[in-house]
Amino acid sequence: MRIFFIGDVVGRSGCVAVSQRLPQMIADWKIDLAIVNGENAADGFGITEPIYREFVAAGADAVTLGNHSWSKKEALAFIEHAPRLIRPINYIPGAPGCGSALVETKNGKRALVVNALGRLLMDPVNDPFGLLDREIAAHPLRETVDAIVVDFHCEATSEKLAAGYFCDGRVSLVVGTHTHVPTADHRILPRGTAYISDAGMTGDYESIIGIKKEEMLRRLTTGIPSGRFEAANGVPTLCGVAVET
Ligand code: FE2
């Protein structure tokens, strides 16, 4: 199975990159499962229903989120009727939506997609490892599902790597998201799981992790906010990881 995961889409230019490029990439590379991290797609913070639908129309089989899942409040409501939209599994029980989804792939197979938040340098959430363990155990790879992808969304590469080894041999791909900076440590772990610490950002790289430089620099150099953070919307780069299992 060919899996393509697109790293954190930021702002309008990132969304346009997905809608313009993903359909052709799916066709050219014969992708069976396409996943997009969309937690920063709506002007840098959160996701809206039209953007979710735009990704699905471009060929995304699943859209994952992260610590900005609810930055656009409408997501709290529309996630309940957006079966391909997956929020972190380790939110407080009772949070809207689901932390995983079973999707039918483009070649008629079954895949489990899971989203989890790390805890180092992140807002408090429940333990991701126990919940991942339970989810993976409930869907044995190559028995009840043909592929499992875990989007582990957090700051620290150490925590992401721990998630990789924790899942090794039981899932197809553990892909890190959140930092918006692609890492060069992609590899196959000893028991066969593909891993990368961060798939990078899909958006305008002439920015500071997708945000316009000016306000970010102003705050960092003076300590005084003088505006809100806005997504940079220059020429986008599409960034992600592709795996064949
Ligand atoms: Fe994030």
Side-chain angles (χ1 to χ4, degrees), residues 8 39-40 67-68 153 178:
D8 305 47
E39 71 138 7
N40 295 122
N67 55 307
H68 286 292
H153 192 89
H178 176 71

Side-chain angles (χ1 to χ4, degrees), residues 123-137:
D123 289 336
V125 284
N126 287 335
D127 165 35
F129 291 95
L131 290 164
L132 270 178
D133 191 50
R134 202 165 72 188
E135 194 66 22
I136 296 166

Side-chain angles (χ1 to χ4, degrees), residues 8 37 39-40 65-68 117 122 153-154 177-180:
D8 305 47
N37 182 291
E39 71 138 7
N40 295 122
L65 295 171
N67 55 307
H68 286 292
L117 275 172
M122 305 291 286
H153 192 89
C154 69
T177 54
H178 176 71
T179 70
H180 298 193

